[in-house]
Amino acid sequence: MEQLGLNVDGIIVIRGTVENIVYHSDDTGYGVFDIEDENEELVTVVGTVPFISVGEQVELYGKWTHHKVYGRQFKAERFEKILPTEKNDILRYLSSGAIKGIGPKTAKKIVDKYGEETFDVISNHPTWLADINGISLKKATEMSNDFKEKSGIREIIIYCKDSFSPNTAMKIYKKWGRNALGILKENPYCLCTDIEGIGFKRADEIAMEAGISKDNENRIKSGILYVLGVFASRDGHTFVCRDELIDATSKLIDVEKDLIAPQIIALAIEKKIKVVENFSKTHVYLTENYLNEEYIARKLIVLNRTVSSLDSSNARTLIERIEAEDGIVYAKMQKIAIEESLKNGVTVLTGGPGTGKTTIIKAVLQIFNMLQYKCALCAPTGRAAKRMSEATSTEAKTIHRLLEVDVGNEYSKGPTFMRNENNHLEHDVVIVDESSMIDVSLMSALLKAMKPGSRIILIGDIYQLPSVGEGNVLNDIINSGYFSVITLNEIFRQAENSGIVVNAHKINQGVVPDFNAKYDDFFYVSITDETVIPEYIANMCKTRLPAKYGSNIVDGIQVISPTKKGFCGTQNLNEVLQSSLNPASDSREEYITRSQRIYRVGDKVMQTRNNYDIEWKRGSEVGRGIFNGDIGVIEEINNEEKLIIVNYDGKLASYDFSLLDEIEHAYAITVHKSQGSEYPIVIIPITKCAPILQTRNLIYTAITRAEKIVLLIGGKNILETMVGNNTQILRNTGLIHFLKSNIV
């Protein structure tokens, strides 16, 4: 074997000709194949090498490994393909089926006629191929197109070899096609605007390596868009004040402020951003956020004005009818909530745990069914939808599933839905639970799918944290004063003995829970030394709680921390809990990332961002899309094919190792990631963390994630600080302005 060199990282470079392909996946590019070196020695290679063909010459970069069954192998981490130049090698390459439409007989005819010029003819003079008997002009064109596509992918993979995996390089090619290399060279910043998963900083590194100047217009524009995106994803803002945007962009890309203002104007002309003069300040939106908020306001107002309303007397008659049929008497506010839902096109129902929201949903469903209205129940997350289904005995879907995410749109940034303004839902009523979680993009998509004259009922808890995504939709709708809002405060009898319910309401009122009160579902353990809390939690999860409630309870325990950092942050807790609950074993396959994160079969993991491309299977059902906050268990790790299989409630999703930055361990999760979900048992460490996280709505959100039991562990003084801190982090949003301006 020809060994070309050994670098400081121990990367070996070998070269040879592909002799035999044992296995190859068109989807992932992973393959097992044999190459022959110049000494005619066969070497087995494993790795991701897209579109490999017999007869190709390859240069491979990687390391030697030893497979317990197949022996010594070369594990390729990156590669370069070299088209053959000798006549016999070209014939062998084409005969392998490397080019669509060319088999051994056709290959011989082409090579006999054009010899060493064959590739030039196929690429640049395809019509010449039609001179050969059996090759039509159409077939010649198809051959040339297939050759150019594979050559284009080869060029992109080689160009990106130091920057991206072959999978990402293929994604870039499929986005831009044959123009991909030219686009990359001319403006690498298109990567962060057009390709999902590539950020500004990575694109900027590539641009700097290519010699693009710091004050390049494309760089400044990309920096502006990146900063707007950060303010949206990190802080939930739909717009940023112009001066603040200029300051932040200047610091990010290290250019003078006076160079940024002209590019804001240029981006506005290109319609990538929206600049709005608002009294003495100038607000700058990403165009999508501006259009989403404007549309939400317009559609909500139209729905509220055009609905076919029931008058009050008819509504009260229907309520009295189901009271008589079901032997139930609704409380005053419950009757008002039901009546308003029947009368209005837009109704908001808000309240804490135990205030009867589910009872109202059931009543509304029952009445609308009597009236033969078609109803849809939905929620932002799978767990919330499942809980809604169980509570109402009626099918509820995630909003994404209700809107029918388009699984065929693999290379778009963000989701597209089959249900939209051109293909409305058939439903007359849409009831949405956990509405505080809905951001502007999802709310806009939902409203676009609703037909004229239909109703929307938004159910949520305004005391919880706002949505992870941009906007403050539920609060803006409530505060606009335009729609009917019913706030439930009364705790019903069946919930009065619940420590979770009672103490959640106390916290909302700024009152620290009374830990001397005896509840079966609310417990507090005082530990002031935070360094011992992780092991205490691990012991509770592994031994004490299973001993009391049964071994099956382990899967129902969720640790929820206010923070990622520190002894009691999710990062450290996950390491401790993994070691305790799923330790290393010869019987469990594992994979260690470059950052030394260990993924092991049996690990509890969470998807950390919406990925609309990941395919999953559940029996014969096939779908695409795993979403931010979905929790599953690693079922299989295949180190040879570089794949991890995660089971999300029966949906088996396959992750290439290059996607592992999208999942993290979920033995412990942050409060923000727990939104919209409930768990049988919740354990919450109460320790020092950043002041921005020591707030009332954060601890309230954490406690209300528990279905049956909540356990607080830590210092009472920290809890007192959180309960006493009712600070609300303000978000820059335009929805309330659009609503108050009565835009239609």
Side-chain angles (χ1 to χ4, degrees):
M1 170 57 59
E2 183 182 7
Q3 183 169 310
L4 303 179
L6 183 68
N7 70 19
V8 292
D9 296 322
I11 298 296
I12 297 169
V13 184
I14 63 174
R15 181 183 290 159
T17 303
V18 178
E19 291 292 322
N20 176 46
I21 298 173
V22 180
Y23 167 81
H24 194 268
S25 168
D26 291 336
D27 293 331
T28 66
Y30 178 84
V32 180
F33 54 94
D34 298 322
I35 66 172
E36 182 186 89
D37 72 348
E38 292 180 345
N39 297 320
E40 299 182 354
E41 293 180 0
L42 281 179
V43 172
T44 299
V45 178
V46 296
T48 301
V49 185
F51 301 118
I52 194 73
S53 299
V54 170
E56 281 190 302
Q57 294 179 11
V58 289
E59 191 167 277
L60 304 164
Y61 302 75
K63 297 179 181 180
W64 292 105
T65 62
H66 187 85
H67 191 278
K68 56 187 176 183
V69 176
Y70 302 110
R72 192 180 191 226
Q73 297 179 335
F74 188 80
K75 187 174 183 180
E77 296 181 2
R78 61 184 180 88
F79 69 95
E80 292 184 15
K81 291 184 181 181
I82 306 163
L83 282 176
T85 56
E86 299 294 329
K87 184 175 178 179
N88 288 337
D89 291 336
I90 293 172
L91 175 61
R92 190 168 173 223
Y93 171 75
L94 291 179
S95 298
S96 71
I99 309 272
K100 187 177 180 180
I102 301 180
K105 291 182 180 179
T106 303
K108 187 173 188 309
K109 291 179 183 179
I110 295 172
V111 175
D112 283 347
K113 186 171 182 65
Y114 297 112
E116 294 175 356
E117 304 299 320
T118 292
F119 290 138
D120 178 60
V121 171
I122 294 174
S123 180
N124 301 314
H125 309 285
T127 57
W128 295 3
L129 296 173
D131 294 338
I132 297 174
N133 186 33
I135 301 179
S136 66
L137 189 59
K138 180 182 177 183
K139 188 175 181 181
T141 302
E142 290 173 350
M143 291 174 182
S144 180
N145 288 339
D146 190 61
F147 179 77
K148 288 176 182 177
E149 180 178 358
K150 289 183 170 67
S151 297
I153 293 174
R154 182 184 298 112
E155 288 177 339
I156 285 292
I157 288 173
I158 292 172
Y159 186 81
C160 296
K161 67 180 186 294
D162 295 325
S163 306
F164 304 116
S165 69
N167 282 343
T168 302
M170 287 177 67
K171 194 172 185 179
I172 292 168
Y173 182 84
K174 289 181 179 180
K175 176 67 179 179
W176 294 320
R178 296 176 194 170
N179 298 322
L181 189 58
I183 291 172
L184 267 183
K185 289 180 177 179
E186 181 181 347
N187 182 15
Y189 295 100
C190 288
L191 288 167
C192 56
T193 56
D194 292 358
I195 307 297
E196 186 74 33
I198 299 178
F200 169 79
K201 293 182 179 179
R202 190 72 196 94
D204 198 36
E205 290 173 3
I206 294 168
M208 294 298 100
E209 290 170 2
I212 291 177
S213 63
K214 287 172 61 176
D215 59 358
N216 177 276
E217 290 183 1
N218 288 325
R219 182 171 187 263
I220 297 172
K221 288 178 183 177
S222 185
I224 292 167
L225 295 173
Y226 174 76
V227 169
L228 285 171
V230 168
F231 276 117
S233 61
R234 184 192 65 194
D235 303 322
H237 298 319
T238 58
F239 70 80
V240 180
C241 291
R242 179 178 176 276
D243 291 344
E244 187 177 1
L245 174 62
I246 289 174
D247 287 344
T249 305
S250 175
K251 290 177 182 176
L252 171 72
I253 63 177
D254 190 26
V255 300
E256 295 298 322
K257 294 180 183 179
D258 59 3
L259 295 176
I260 296 171
Q263 301 312 321
I264 291 177
I265 296 172
L267 285 169
I269 293 171
E270 295 170 15
K271 297 185 178 181
K272 293 181 178 178
I273 63 174
K274 184 77 174 179
V275 180
V276 178
E277 298 297 334
N278 193 342
F279 300 106
S280 60
K281 291 188 177 180
T282 303
H283 297 165
V284 184
Y285 293 77
L286 288 170
T287 299
E288 182 182 10
N289 286 338
Y290 178 88
L291 294 176
N292 281 336
E293 288 195 316
E294 183 185 46
Y295 183 85
I296 291 167
R298 179 180 291 110
K299 186 63 175 279
L300 287 174
I301 291 170
V302 169
L303 289 177
N304 210 42
R305 288 181 179 175
T306 59
V307 71
S308 176
S309 176
L310 291 174
D311 62 41
S312 296
S313 60
N314 285 339
R316 284 193 289 271
T317 299
L318 289 167
I319 293 170
E320 290 168 1
R321 178 178 168 181
I322 61 172
E323 282 184 318
E325 289 180 356
D326 297 345
I328 188 173
V329 178
Y330 295 112
K332 179 181 178 181
M333 289 305 298
Q334 288 181 317
K335 288 183 179 180
I336 292 173
I338 298 167
E339 186 175 330
E340 290 297 301
S341 299
L342 299 176
K343 288 164 54 180
N344 298 298
V346 178
T347 307
V348 179
L349 178 62
T350 182
T355 56
K357 296 193 295 292
T358 300
T359 301
I360 294 169
I361 298 173
K362 288 181 177 179
V364 168
L365 276 174
Q366 193 171 346
I367 292 173
F368 280 130
N369 286 334
M370 287 166 51
L371 297 172
Q372 296 186 331
Y373 285 16
K374 189 171 183 180
C375 299
L377 272 61
C378 60
T381 68
R383 286 178 176 268
K386 183 179 180 182
R387 191 173 70 249
M388 196 180 189
S389 295
E390 293 169 347
T392 62
S393 300
T394 303
E395 183 187 19
K397 300 178 179 180
T398 63
I399 297 174
H400 286 83
R401 187 178 167 209
L402 178 69
L403 300 183
E404 300 174 19
V405 172
D406 182 2
V407 298
N409 202 17
E410 182 179 358
Y411 296 100
S412 64
K413 289 202 75 168
T416 56
F417 299 103
M418 300 296 287
R419 294 292 184 170
N420 51 48
E421 57 266 58
N422 299 315
N423 182 26
H424 288 131
L425 296 165
E426 297 87 359
H427 303 88
D428 306 296
V429 184
V430 176
I431 303 174
V432 190
D433 200 8
E434 295 287 356
S435 297
S436 63
M437 292 184 64
I438 303 179
D439 60 29
V440 294
S441 60
L442 190 57
M443 178 59 85
S444 177
L446 177 60
L447 290 172
K448 285 176 182 175
M450 291 183 62
K451 66 183 181 181
S454 57
R455 288 173 166 81
I456 186 168
I457 301 171
L458 299 170
I459 302 163
D461 188 342
I462 57 172
Y463 299 112
Q464 291 185 25
L465 294 169
S467 62
V468 174
E470 60 273 18
N472 203 1
V473 175
L474 184 64
N475 274 275
D476 283 351
I477 291 172
I478 292 171
N479 293 331
S480 72
Y482 195 90
F483 306 103
S484 176
V485 178
I486 299 91
T487 303
L488 303 173
N489 294 313
E490 180 185 354
I491 302 175
F492 286 90
R493 186 178 304 165
Q494 62 267 33
E496 287 178 345
N497 295 322
S498 166
I500 295 171
V501 172
V502 171
N503 288 314
H505 285 270
K506 281 186 176 181
I507 288 170
N508 268 339
Q509 297 162 11
V511 178
V512 177
D514 178 9
F515 295 119
N516 293 319
K518 300 298 181 182
Y519 292 106
D520 294 331
D521 62 349
F522 191 91
F523 304 96
Y524 168 70
V525 177
S526 177
I527 300 179
T528 56
D529 183 358
E530 66 179 36
T531 63
V532 305
I533 292 178
E535 290 298 337
Y536 184 89
I537 290 175
N539 185 43
M540 292 295 296
C541 293
K542 184 176 182 179
T543 306
R544 295 181 64 180
L545 289 173
K548 183 173 179 62
Y549 299 104
S551 58
N552 291 337
I553 199 63
V554 174
D555 292 337
I557 300 171
Q558 185 60 60
V559 180
I560 300 177
S561 174
T563 181
K564 291 183 178 181
K565 300 178 180 179
F567 282 103
C568 295
T570 57
Q571 293 172 351
N572 184 58
L573 284 171
N574 273 313
E575 290 184 13
V576 172
L577 290 167
Q578 182 194 42
S579 178
S580 175
L581 300 175
N582 192 33
S585 168
D586 290 340
S587 63
R588 277 192 289 270
E589 197 77 31
E590 64 180 38
Y591 172 72
I592 304 176
T593 68
R594 291 182 179 180
S595 61
Q596 299 304 301
R597 179 180 290 179
I598 302 172
Y599 290 99
R600 189 174 292 140
V601 170
D603 274 345
K604 187 178 183 181
V605 294
M606 171 183 279
Q607 176 76 16
T608 59
R609 71 177 186 86
N610 290 338
N611 187 321
Y612 304 95
D613 298 341
I614 294 179
E615 291 188 353
W616 53 261
K617 295 180 180 179
R618 179 165 51 195
S620 60
E621 183 184 5
V622 177
R624 181 177 286 151
I626 301 295
F627 305 111
N628 188 1
D630 287 352
I631 291 180
V633 176
I634 294 178
E635 190 161 292
E636 179 184 345
I637 296 177
N638 189 325
N639 280 292
E640 290 184 9
E641 294 191 23
K642 295 185 178 181
L643 292 175
I644 285 183
I645 310 297
V646 181
N647 188 331
Y648 292 99
D649 291 329
K651 294 192 297 189
L652 299 180
S654 179
Y655 289 80
D656 183 90
F657 282 0
S658 64
L659 292 175
L660 291 186
D661 59 344
E662 294 187 10
I663 61 172
E664 60 186 29
H665 293 96
Y667 298 102
I669 62 176
T670 63
V671 180
H672 287 84
K673 290 294 186 183
S674 73
Q675 286 178 261
S677 298
E678 284 189 358
Y679 312 92
I681 298 178
V682 169
I683 300 175
I684 308 168
I686 307 294
T687 58
K688 289 181 179 178
C689 58
I692 197 172
L693 298 173
Q694 293 186 353
T695 62
R696 183 184 300 174
N697 64 347
L698 189 138
I699 188 62
Y700 171 84
T701 302
I703 288 172
T704 54
R705 298 309 88 207
E707 294 175 346
K708 298 178 180 178
I709 295 170
V710 67
L711 172 60
L712 304 178
I713 304 172
K716 188 175 180 181
N717 61 322
I718 304 295
L719 181 62
E720 290 172 345
T721 298
M722 297 180 80
V723 173
N725 181 11
N726 198 28
T727 302
Q728 302 287 328
I729 299 174
L730 297 178
R731 291 185 167 190
N732 296 335
T733 63
L735 178 56
I736 194 168
H737 165 74
F738 288 128
L739 287 168
K740 286 186 173 182
S741 67
N742 205 17
I743 183 171
V744 175

